Amino acid sequence: MSLKPRAVDFDKTWSGLKSTIQGVVTLSKVNRTEWNDRFTDVYTLCVASPEPYTNQLYQQTRQFLIEHVQQLLAQIQEEEKSGLLRRYHEMWLKYSQGVDFLNKLYSYLNQQHVKKGKCTEADLTYGIFTDSPTRMIEMGELGLELWRTEMLEKVQQSLVDLVLEGIRKDRQGTTSVQTTVINGVINSFVLVEDPKFKLPGDPSSSITFYERAFEERFLKDTALYYHQEANKLISTSSVSEYMDRVIHKLNEEDMRARRYLHPSSYTKVEAECHKCLVADHLPMLIGECSNMVEGDRRKDLADMYCLLKPLPPGLSVLADTYESFIKRVGLTALSNLKPDTAHLDFVENVIIVHKKYKEIVSSVFKSDQLFLSTLDKACTSIINHKVPGQRSTCRSPELLAKYCDTLLKKSTKCYSELEVDEKLGQSIVIFKYIDDKDIFQKFYARNLARRLIHSLSHSMDSEEGMINRLKAACGYEFTNKLHRMFTDVSLSQGLCQKFITHIAMNNLSLGLNFSMLVLQFEAFYGKQFSGRKLTWLHHLSTIEVKVSTYLKKTYFITMQTFQLAILLQFEFTDELTLQELAEATLLNEDQLGRHITSLVECKLVEIHGNTQELFPDAVVKLNKEYVNKRSKFRISGAVQKETPQEVEQTHVSVEEDRKIFMQAAIVRIMKSRKVIKHNILLQEVLALSDGRFCPTISLIKKCIETLIERQYLERTSNSTDEYSYVA
């Protein structure tokens, strides 16, 4: 076969081609030889000499398809209503498949003549392509377009009525619905017009034929149906039952949409159903939120979340209700803390509340970020709640530090290391919600110092683990001083060992002369460090004493310096009055009372008459009948109690540290900005303080005034709310 252009008799060639097209479109049998010959005929007509017959071929084929579709339309119009859908579906399947084959037969025409003149995506985007009545489209597209214009637009009303009727029956549970037929009919509305071939400037091309002919009516019918269903359910059901049935219907409609409709309709159907079943009845659903939360009705809450999730305003109401409830429950749990166990009750109650409602957020609200934020806000309010009428700072940091101290120090209530680690992990959860982290830091540091000085730590691994958790939460700067405490302990141990070596090497005999020991250590310390001042903290010192003179058994007792000072007064007598002990030891009333009480509690001494009241004439006797199963023990009762004065002193120290921190922050900001507005300076100071404490505006203003007085900054002459840095 020659591929060169040649003269062709169009009428004769078209006659043979037409009979083959008839067979192709009707899916009649066409043998391979005939197919190849017709393929060659299409090519020959397209390259004929002297003029190609492309337009004649296109127009003749178009006319043939029009006549063919019109014949099928006549058959459809004669069909009875009961069989119309099925008949149309059969014709559509045969025709669409036949047009697909026809498109392949005309592949040369499509490739060489149609596609070259076809608009590009850029043409469609920028609107530089204009439609023309003589424009040519690919043969497959032409066949589908003619089906739309000559068939669907003539019978679409009847088809859509029958399709909607079938879907209504499906909603009512009828099992005789022709699912495949309905899906095929709806699919034909989609395939007859590809959205990418819509022309700019054509008003009818803003939406597809599927949307115009079917989807709009379907959505209206859906809205009407579910509006009626919602009214029926409301009149016959409680809110819980209504939500359960609505979710069931929404799931059913979603499956129905996926069974029948084009994917572009899924979200539209879902939105329409939500509007009719949920949004239109939102006040009724929201009104029940409080009762569901109060009654811990988790299934109802899960249903409510599922229904309100697509509606942000409704979901925010549920979140606000949930936050208020958690806050109320938490504050109630912390309302009656016993003074002696306040730190234990505080942490354990908060952990119970947090754990319970976090589990609910996870299981009921699917860990939604909105509800996680709600839980965080509620816990922050609970933990940082300030009791009206009391001091401005809340007790949470102090109680949490005391709880950690209880876990980390040795006690009669022994926890395993795993239990301690778990409880410390829980305490970090609370720590992250605390606003005044600097107060926690101060109390924690004081307690850590006591544990290290008096060797009361339960486990050094647990101590280091807790500090690492704090560092992960707040950074290295927050735990820097705590790390240095451990360094100081190791340095102290090394210094003591050097002193012992120094005593041995110089053959110094100290005997029982305590004054000699002090003087020797001061001389040794002066040689080790130049320029340092040595201060003796007797209230923190401990001594190991061997007691055997007046008892039946020898005991090794570790006690504080002041406790030993009291016991030494009984070296030559068995009883003394409290007044005599005060004069001999020079301890104040508070210190003497605390240490006498600790010695009475461990039964080394006793008060005459077995009374617990301490007054100047009270007689304190040495207990010569003292018995203990342990031969080596520690008296630590006096160092475990923190007085209200010490607590208040800690808070005062924190306030002073805050002032210094904010003044440094203000100077740092001013040094970089040079000139700054008052409100911007406040915002930047608040940002720098975030994560450490929440300063009040009045405190920031006082710090600004202090720095102005100290000439670090000044108000600008042009404005009263602007500051400039004084270099």
Side-chain angles (χ1 to χ4, degrees):
M1 178 189 72
S2 175
L3 298 179
K4 293 181 180 181
R6 57 187 176 84
V8 180
D9 184 348
F10 178 80
D11 293 333
K12 180 179 178 181
T13 305
W14 168 249
S15 177
L17 184 59
K18 182 179 179 181
S19 63
T20 301
I21 293 174
Q22 179 72 34
V24 169
V25 173
T26 58
L27 298 184
S28 302
K29 186 175 181 181
V30 177
N31 59 53
R32 173 60 62 180
T33 303
E34 182 181 355
W35 174 269
N36 291 337
D37 291 343
R38 297 297 83 78
F39 192 90
T40 303
D41 289 343
V42 171
Y43 171 78
T44 304
L45 291 173
C46 289
V47 298
S49 178
E51 291 293 334
Y53 291 104
T54 306
N55 289 333
Q56 292 94 319
L57 175 61
Y58 182 85
Q59 293 300 330
Q60 287 293 338
T61 306
R62 182 177 185 278
Q63 186 60 37
F64 170 80
L65 290 175
I66 291 174
E67 293 173 357
H68 177 66
V69 173
Q70 288 175 345
Q71 292 174 6
L72 296 178
L73 174 63
Q75 297 177 29
I76 285 289
Q77 291 173 337
E78 294 174 358
E79 191 70 38
E80 293 183 1
K81 183 179 178 180
S82 60
L84 180 61
L85 279 182
R86 184 175 294 279
R87 181 63 176 153
Y88 170 84
H89 182 240
E90 291 172 354
M91 287 183 176
W92 160 251
L93 290 178
K94 182 182 290 188
Y95 177 81
S96 60
Q97 190 175 356
V99 167
D100 185 53
F101 286 129
L102 181 64
N103 190 60
K104 294 175 181 177
L105 183 63
Y106 278 68
S107 59
Y108 184 80
L109 175 68
N110 293 335
Q111 293 288 338
Q112 299 301 320
H113 295 275
V114 176
K115 285 192 174 181
K116 287 182 179 180
K118 195 172 182 179
C119 59
T120 64
E121 290 187 8
D123 295 332
L124 291 174
T125 302
Y126 297 104
I128 61 176
F129 180 85
T130 56
D131 193 13
S132 171
T134 59
R135 71 182 178 93
M136 295 172 61
I137 58 177
E138 293 185 27
M139 200 54 59
E141 296 171 26
L142 176 64
L144 296 177
E145 184 179 273
L146 293 176
W147 182 268
R148 172 172 58 80
T149 57
E150 302 298 326
M151 171 68 78
L152 268 179
E153 291 181 357
K154 306 290 177 58
V155 297
Q156 71 179 47
Q157 184 70 30
S158 301
L159 290 176
V160 172
D161 288 343
L162 291 172
V163 168
L164 293 179
E165 182 182 344
I167 293 177
R168 277 194 293 271
K169 289 181 179 178
D170 191 348
R171 286 172 178 153
Q172 294 165 0
T174 304
T175 57
S176 60
V177 178
Q178 303 171 351
T179 303
T180 305
V181 173
I182 292 176
N183 176 257
V185 172
I186 294 174
N187 199 41
S188 72
F189 283 77
V190 177
L191 295 177
V192 294
E193 182 179 65
D194 193 329
K196 70 181 179 181
F197 297 110
K198 293 188 293 183
L199 298 175
D202 181 4
S204 64
S205 68
S206 59
I207 56 175
T208 64
F209 177 75
Y210 165 76
E211 293 172 319
R212 294 195 308 271
F214 173 75
E215 189 180 71
E216 289 180 356
R217 285 192 59 192
F218 172 77
L219 292 176
K220 289 179 181 178
D221 188 74
T222 300
L224 177 62
Y225 175 80
Y226 281 110
H227 179 72
Q228 295 171 348
E229 283 295 303
N231 290 334
K232 289 179 185 177
L233 291 175
I234 289 173
S235 62
T236 59
S237 310
S238 64
V239 175
S240 298
E241 294 171 339
Y242 177 80
M243 292 192 300
D244 192 52
R245 294 179 184 178
V246 164
I247 290 174
H248 182 67
K249 287 187 176 296
L250 289 174
N251 290 336
E252 282 186 339
E253 192 62 29
D254 181 65
M255 295 300 297
R256 191 174 294 111
R258 297 177 187 280
R259 193 159 59 242
Y260 293 124
L261 307 181
H262 186 259
S264 64
S265 298
Y266 296 167
T267 55
K268 298 177 185 178
V269 173
E270 182 182 7
E272 195 65 46
C273 292
H274 258 91
K275 180 182 180 301
C276 297
L277 295 170
V278 182
D280 290 348
H281 305 284
L282 194 58
M284 177 195 72
L285 296 173
I286 289 176
E288 192 67 18
C289 285
S290 180
N291 293 334
M292 292 179 184
V293 172
E294 295 279 355
D296 197 22
R297 291 152 53 184
R298 300 193 183 188
K299 184 182 183 304
D300 289 345
L301 287 172
D303 291 345
M304 182 74 77
Y305 169 75
C306 180
L307 294 178
L308 297 183
K309 188 176 181 180
L311 308 171
L315 200 61
S316 63
V317 172
L318 177 59
D320 292 342
T321 304
Y322 196 64
E323 179 183 345
S324 300
F325 176 73
I326 297 174
K327 195 184 302 182
R328 189 165 65 253
V329 170
L331 293 178
T332 302
L334 302 180
S335 60
N336 296 314
L337 299 178
K338 298 178 181 178
D340 293 339
T341 59
H343 58 293
L344 298 173
D345 296 339
F346 167 76
V347 174
E348 290 172 0
N349 288 344
V350 171
I351 288 297
I352 289 172
V353 171
H354 181 270
K355 187 176 181 180
K356 175 182 178 181
Y357 292 103
K358 186 176 182 181
E359 191 274 329
I360 292 177
V361 168
S362 176
S363 60
V364 175
F365 302 119
K366 313 302 179 187
S367 297
D368 190 293
Q369 189 59 46
L370 175 63
F371 286 89
L372 288 173
S373 299
T374 293
L375 177 62
D376 290 342
K377 290 177 185 177
C379 289
T380 300
S381 298
I382 294 167
I383 293 170
N384 297 289
H385 177 69
K386 297 176 183 177
V387 180
Q390 295 188 6
R391 62 168 179 254
S392 59
T393 56
C394 68
R395 292 191 63 203
S396 300
E398 176 188 344
L399 294 175
L400 182 61
K402 192 173 181 181
Y403 177 80
C404 294
D405 182 55
T406 303
L407 292 176
L408 291 169
K409 72 183 178 184
K410 297 175 183 177
S411 64
T412 54
K413 187 176 181 180
C414 295
Y415 294 107
S416 67
E417 286 202 19
L418 288 176
E419 289 176 321
V420 170
D421 189 66
E422 181 183 357
K423 290 181 180 293
L424 290 176
Q426 292 174 345
S427 67
I428 288 294
V429 173
I430 298 177
F431 171 76
K432 290 179 180 178
Y433 290 117
I434 289 178
D435 288 338
D436 299 325
K437 291 183 172 61
D438 56 339
I439 297 179
F440 171 86
Q441 181 192 39
K442 186 69 71 173
F443 278 100
Y444 188 89
R446 286 172 62 92
N447 294 333
L448 175 61
R450 286 194 180 93
R451 293 196 298 274
L452 294 178
I453 290 172
H454 299 294
S455 302
L456 295 177
S457 290
H458 177 268
S459 167
M460 295 307 294
D461 290 338
S462 298
E463 294 280 7
E464 292 179 4
M466 182 62 184
I467 292 176
N468 289 334
R469 288 188 176 96
L470 293 173
K471 182 167 69 174
C474 291
Y476 173 76
E477 187 64 29
F478 186 84
T479 58
N480 185 29
K481 292 182 180 179
L482 305 180
H483 281 294
R484 281 161 51 190
M485 286 186 185
F486 287 95
T487 304
D488 291 343
V489 169
S490 61
L491 290 175
S492 175
Q493 291 173 348
L495 188 63
C496 290
Q497 189 61 44
K498 286 182 180 179
F499 179 63
I500 294 171
T501 305
H502 170 75
I503 296 296
M505 290 177 64
N506 292 279
N507 297 318
L508 298 175
S509 177
L510 301 177
L512 295 176
N513 193 329
F514 180 75
S515 299
M516 256 323 253
L517 174 63
V518 170
L519 292 173
Q520 286 292 339
F521 185 80
E522 287 180 347
F524 168 76
Y525 190 85
K527 292 179 181 179
Q528 293 291 319
F529 305 101
S530 61
R532 288 191 182 183
K533 181 181 178 181
L534 183 63
T535 303
W536 292 93
L537 302 176
H538 299 297
H539 66 287
L540 297 178
S541 303
T542 57
I543 300 173
E544 185 174 314
V545 183
K546 180 181 178 182
V547 180
S548 61
T549 307
Y550 64 94
L551 298 176
K552 298 177 182 179
K553 180 180 176 182
T554 300
Y555 295 98
F556 294 89
I557 308 174
T558 301
M559 62 182 68
Q560 283 188 281
T561 306
F562 291 158
Q563 291 169 338
L564 177 61
I566 293 171
L567 285 179
L568 287 176
Q569 305 310 311
F570 295 94
E571 186 75 18
F572 303 105
T573 183
D574 293 341
E575 58 182 44
L576 291 166
T577 64
L578 203 63
Q579 181 66 35
E580 292 171 336
L581 287 173
E583 293 173 356
T585 60
L586 299 180
L587 295 175
N588 60 41
E589 182 180 350
D590 178 62
Q591 290 178 325
L592 182 63
R594 287 168 56 198
H595 293 296
I596 286 289
T597 301
S598 64
L599 292 172
V600 170
E601 287 177 352
C602 69
K603 299 180 181 180
L604 283 174
V605 299
E606 54 189 22
I607 299 176
H608 185 68
N610 292 325
T611 179
Q612 298 299 319
E613 295 183 10
L614 298 178
F615 48 88
D617 295 333
V619 178
V620 181
K621 296 174 58 178
L622 192 66
N623 182 13
K624 294 185 176 182
E625 303 299 324
Y626 179 79
V627 177
N628 194 329
K629 293 181 180 179
R630 299 170 61 185
S631 59
K632 188 174 183 178
F633 59 92
R634 172 189 295 270
I635 304 174
S636 56
V639 300
Q640 295 178 9
K641 297 178 182 179
E642 194 169 41
T643 63
Q645 292 79 7
E646 290 176 327
V647 173
E648 188 61 34
Q649 183 182 0
T650 303
H651 282 286
V652 171
S653 175
V654 170
E655 289 298 324
E656 292 301 319
D657 289 347
R658 287 182 176 182
K659 290 177 184 178
I660 295 172
F661 175 87
M662 283 190 289
Q663 289 175 15
I666 293 169
V667 171
R668 195 180 306 119
I669 293 167
M670 293 302 303
K671 195 170 184 179
S672 63
R673 300 289 292 271
K674 304 302 181 184
V675 178
I676 193 171
K677 292 285 186 180
H678 176 75
N679 289 335
I680 298 176
L681 178 59
L682 292 181
Q683 292 173 5
E684 295 204 14
V685 172
L686 289 171
L688 287 174
S689 304
D690 186 38
R692 184 177 179 86
F693 63 95
C694 295
T696 60
I697 301 299
S698 61
L699 184 58
I700 299 176
K701 290 181 178 178
K702 287 180 181 178
C703 291
I704 293 174
E705 294 297 330
T706 301
L707 291 173
I708 291 175
E709 292 175 3
R710 296 170 63 186
Q711 298 183 351
Y712 280 93
L713 60 151
E714 63 183 5
R715 290 186 174 88
T716 60
S717 57
N718 300 328
S719 177
T720 58
D721 68 336
E722 190 175 61
Y723 306 104
S724 63
Y725 178 65
V726 179

Short mmCIF file of all heavy atoms in Angstrom, two decimals, residues 62-87:
data_model
loop_
_atom_site.label_atom_id
_atom_site.label_comp_id
_atom_site.label_asym_id
_atom_site.label_seq_id
_atom_site.Cartn_x
_atom_site.Cartn_y
_atom_site.Cartn_z
N ARG A 62 -20.36 12.92 11.33
CA ARG A 62 -21.18 13.61 12.32
C ARG A 62 -22.66 13.43 12.00
O ARG A 62 -23.48 13.15 12.90
CB ARG A 62 -20.80 15.10 12.34
CG ARG A 62 -21.55 15.94 13.37
CD ARG A 62 -21.02 17.38 13.34
NE ARG A 62 -21.65 18.15 14.39
CZ ARG A 62 -22.86 18.72 14.29
NH1 ARG A 62 -23.55 18.59 13.15
NH2 ARG A 62 -23.37 19.40 15.29
N GLN A 63 -22.99 13.58 10.72
CA GLN A 63 -24.40 13.44 10.32
C GLN A 63 -24.88 12.01 10.55
O GLN A 63 -26.02 11.79 10.99
CB GLN A 63 -24.55 13.82 8.84
CG GLN A 63 -26.00 13.84 8.35
CD GLN A 63 -26.85 14.82 9.12
OE1 GLN A 63 -26.41 15.90 9.49
NE2 GLN A 63 -28.11 14.43 9.37
N PHE A 64 -24.00 11.06 10.29
CA PHE A 64 -24.37 9.66 10.51
C PHE A 64 -24.67 9.41 11.99
O PHE A 64 -25.67 8.76 12.34
CB PHE A 64 -23.24 8.74 10.04
CG PHE A 64 -23.44 7.31 10.46
CD1 PHE A 64 -24.29 6.46 9.74
CD2 PHE A 64 -22.80 6.80 11.59
CE1 PHE A 64 -24.48 5.14 10.14
CE2 PHE A 64 -22.99 5.49 11.99
CZ PHE A 64 -23.83 4.65 11.25
N LEU A 65 -23.82 9.93 12.86
CA LEU A 65 -24.02 9.73 14.30
C LEU A 65 -25.29 10.42 14.78
O LEU A 65 -26.02 9.88 15.63
CB LEU A 65 -22.81 10.25 15.08
CG LEU A 65 -21.51 9.45 14.93
CD1 LEU A 65 -20.36 10.15 15.65
CD2 LEU A 65 -21.68 8.03 15.46
N ILE A 66 -25.59 11.59 14.23
CA ILE A 66 -26.83 12.29 14.62
C ILE A 66 -28.03 11.44 14.27
O ILE A 66 -28.96 11.25 15.08
CB ILE A 66 -26.91 13.66 13.92
CG1 ILE A 66 -25.85 14.61 14.49
CG2 ILE A 66 -28.30 14.28 14.09
CD1 ILE A 66 -25.76 15.94 13.77
N GLU A 67 -28.05 10.92 13.06
CA GLU A 67 -29.18 10.09 12.62
C GLU A 67 -29.29 8.83 13.47
O GLU A 67 -30.40 8.40 13.83
CB GLU A 67 -29.02 9.73 11.15
CG GLU A 67 -29.12 10.95 10.22
CD GLU A 67 -28.78 10.59 8.78
OE1 GLU A 67 -28.41 9.40 8.54
OE2 GLU A 67 -28.85 11.48 7.91
N HIS A 68 -28.13 8.25 13.80
CA HIS A 68 -28.14 7.03 14.60
C HIS A 68 -28.70 7.29 16.01
O HIS A 68 -29.55 6.54 16.52
CB HIS A 68 -26.72 6.47 14.70
CG HIS A 68 -26.60 5.26 15.57
ND1 HIS A 68 -27.18 4.04 15.25
CD2 HIS A 68 -25.98 5.08 16.78
CE1 HIS A 68 -26.92 3.16 16.21
NE2 HIS A 68 -26.19 3.77 17.15
N VAL A 69 -28.27 8.38 16.63
CA VAL A 69 -28.75 8.71 17.98
C VAL A 69 -30.24 9.05 17.94
O VAL A 69 -31.00 8.69 18.85
CB VAL A 69 -27.93 9.88 18.56
CG1 VAL A 69 -28.53 10.35 19.89
CG2 VAL A 69 -26.49 9.47 18.77
N GLN A 70 -30.68 9.73 16.89
CA GLN A 70 -32.10 10.07 16.76
C GLN A 70 -32.97 8.81 16.64
O GLN A 70 -34.08 8.76 17.16
CB GLN A 70 -32.32 10.99 15.57
CG GLN A 70 -31.79 12.41 15.81
CD GLN A 70 -31.89 13.28 14.57
OE1 GLN A 70 -32.11 12.78 13.45
NE2 GLN A 70 -31.72 14.60 14.76
N GLN A 71 -32.44 7.80 15.95
CA GLN A 71 -33.17 6.52 15.86
C GLN A 71 -33.28 5.88 17.26
O GLN A 71 -34.34 5.36 17.62
CB GLN A 71 -32.43 5.58 14.90
CG GLN A 71 -32.47 6.01 13.44
CD GLN A 71 -31.61 5.13 12.56
OE1 GLN A 71 -31.07 4.11 13.01
NE2 GLN A 71 -31.46 5.51 11.29
N LEU A 72 -32.18 5.93 18.01
CA LEU A 72 -32.22 5.37 19.36
C LEU A 72 -33.18 6.17 20.24
O LEU A 72 -33.90 5.60 21.09
CB LEU A 72 -30.82 5.40 19.99
CG LEU A 72 -29.75 4.54 19.30
CD1 LEU A 72 -28.40 4.71 20.00
CD2 LEU A 72 -30.15 3.06 19.32
N LEU A 73 -33.23 7.50 20.06
CA LEU A 73 -34.14 8.34 20.83
C LEU A 73 -35.58 7.96 20.56
O LEU A 73 -36.40 7.90 21.49
CB LEU A 73 -33.90 9.82 20.46
CG LEU A 73 -34.87 10.82 21.08
CD1 LEU A 73 -34.75 10.81 22.61
CD2 LEU A 73 -34.61 12.23 20.54
N ALA A 74 -35.88 7.67 19.31
CA ALA A 74 -37.25 7.28 18.97
C ALA A 74 -37.64 5.99 19.69
O ALA A 74 -38.77 5.84 20.18
CB ALA A 74 -37.37 7.11 17.45
N GLN A 75 -36.70 5.06 19.77
CA GLN A 75 -36.99 3.81 20.47
C GLN A 75 -37.20 4.06 21.98
O GLN A 75 -38.07 3.45 22.60
CB GLN A 75 -35.83 2.83 20.27
CG GLN A 75 -35.61 2.42 18.81
CD GLN A 75 -34.40 1.51 18.63
OE1 GLN A 75 -34.04 0.76 19.54
NE2 GLN A 75 -33.76 1.59 17.46
N ILE A 76 -36.37 4.97 22.55
CA ILE A 76 -36.49 5.28 23.97
C ILE A 76 -37.85 5.91 24.26
O ILE A 76 -38.50 5.61 25.27
CB ILE A 76 -35.35 6.24 24.41
CG1 ILE A 76 -34.03 5.48 24.52
CG2 ILE A 76 -35.66 6.93 25.73
CD1 ILE A 76 -33.94 4.54 25.68
N GLN A 77 -38.27 6.80 23.40
CA GLN A 77 -39.53 7.51 23.63
C GLN A 77 -40.74 6.59 23.55
O GLN A 77 -41.80 6.88 24.10
CB GLN A 77 -39.66 8.66 22.63
CG GLN A 77 -38.67 9.79 22.90
CD GLN A 77 -38.68 10.86 21.83
OE1 GLN A 77 -39.09 10.60 20.68
NE2 GLN A 77 -38.22 12.06 22.18
N GLU A 78 -40.57 5.46 22.83
CA GLU A 78 -41.66 4.49 22.75
C GLU A 78 -41.68 3.53 23.94
O GLU A 78 -42.65 2.80 24.13
CB GLU A 78 -41.54 3.69 21.45
CG GLU A 78 -41.73 4.53 20.19
CD GLU A 78 -41.45 3.73 18.92
OE1 GLU A 78 -41.08 2.53 19.07
OE2 GLU A 78 -41.60 4.27 17.82
N GLU A 79 -40.60 3.55 24.70
CA GLU A 79 -40.47 2.62 25.83
C GLU A 79 -41.38 3.04 26.97
O GLU A 79 -41.60 4.22 27.23
CB GLU A 79 -39.02 2.59 26.31
CG GLU A 79 -38.69 1.49 27.29
CD GLU A 79 -38.72 0.11 26.63
OE1 GLU A 79 -38.27 0.00 25.47
OE2 GLU A 79 -39.18 -0.83 27.29
N GLU A 80 -41.93 2.04 27.68
CA GLU A 80 -42.76 2.34 28.84
C GLU A 80 -41.90 2.81 30.01
O GLU A 80 -40.72 2.53 30.09
CB GLU A 80 -43.54 1.08 29.26
CG GLU A 80 -44.57 0.64 28.24
CD GLU A 80 -45.36 -0.56 28.72
OE1 GLU A 80 -45.10 -1.02 29.85
OE2 GLU A 80 -46.21 -1.03 27.97
N LYS A 81 -42.55 3.52 30.93
CA LYS A 81 -41.83 4.14 32.04
C LYS A 81 -41.09 3.11 32.89
O LYS A 81 -39.97 3.34 33.33
CB LYS A 81 -42.82 4.91 32.90
CG LYS A 81 -42.19 5.67 34.05
CD LYS A 81 -43.22 6.43 34.83
CE LYS A 81 -42.58 7.15 36.02
NZ LYS A 81 -43.58 7.91 36.81
N SER A 82 -41.70 1.94 33.10
CA SER A 82 -41.11 0.93 33.98
C SER A 82 -39.80 0.37 33.43
O SER A 82 -38.93 -0.05 34.19
CB SER A 82 -42.10 -0.21 34.22
OG SER A 82 -42.45 -0.81 32.98
N GLY A 83 -39.64 0.37 32.10
CA GLY A 83 -38.43 -0.20 31.52
C GLY A 83 -37.51 0.84 30.91
O GLY A 83 -36.53 0.48 30.24
N LEU A 84 -37.85 2.13 31.11
CA LEU A 84 -37.10 3.19 30.45
C LEU A 84 -35.63 3.22 30.91
O LEU A 84 -34.72 3.30 30.08
CB LEU A 84 -37.76 4.54 30.74
CG LEU A 84 -37.09 5.76 30.12
CD1 LEU A 84 -37.07 5.64 28.59
CD2 LEU A 84 -37.80 7.05 30.53
N LEU A 85 -35.40 3.17 32.22
CA LEU A 85 -34.03 3.25 32.72
C LEU A 85 -33.15 2.12 32.20
O LEU A 85 -32.02 2.33 31.76
CB LEU A 85 -34.02 3.26 34.25
CG LEU A 85 -34.31 4.58 34.97
CD1 LEU A 85 -34.20 4.39 36.47
CD2 LEU A 85 -33.35 5.67 34.52
N ARG A 86 -33.71 0.90 32.28
CA ARG A 86 -32.92 -0.25 31.85
C ARG A 86 -32.62 -0.18 30.35
O ARG A 86 -31.50 -0.45 29.93
CB ARG A 86 -33.67 -1.54 32.18
CG ARG A 86 -32.88 -2.80 31.86
CD ARG A 86 -33.62 -4.04 32.32
NE ARG A 86 -33.72 -4.07 33.77
CZ ARG A 86 -32.73 -4.49 34.57
NH1 ARG A 86 -31.58 -4.88 34.05
NH2 ARG A 86 -32.91 -4.50 35.87
N ARG A 87 -33.62 0.22 29.55
CA ARG A 87 -33.43 0.30 28.11
C ARG A 87 -32.38 1.37 27.76
O ARG A 87 -31.51 1.15 26.92
CB ARG A 87 -34.77 0.64 27.45
CG ARG A 87 -34.72 0.74 25.94
CD ARG A 87 -34.35 -0.58 25.30
NE ARG A 87 -34.39 -0.52 23.86
CZ ARG A 87 -33.66 -1.28 23.05
NH1 ARG A 87 -32.81 -2.17 23.57
NH2 ARG A 87 -33.77 -1.18 21.75
#
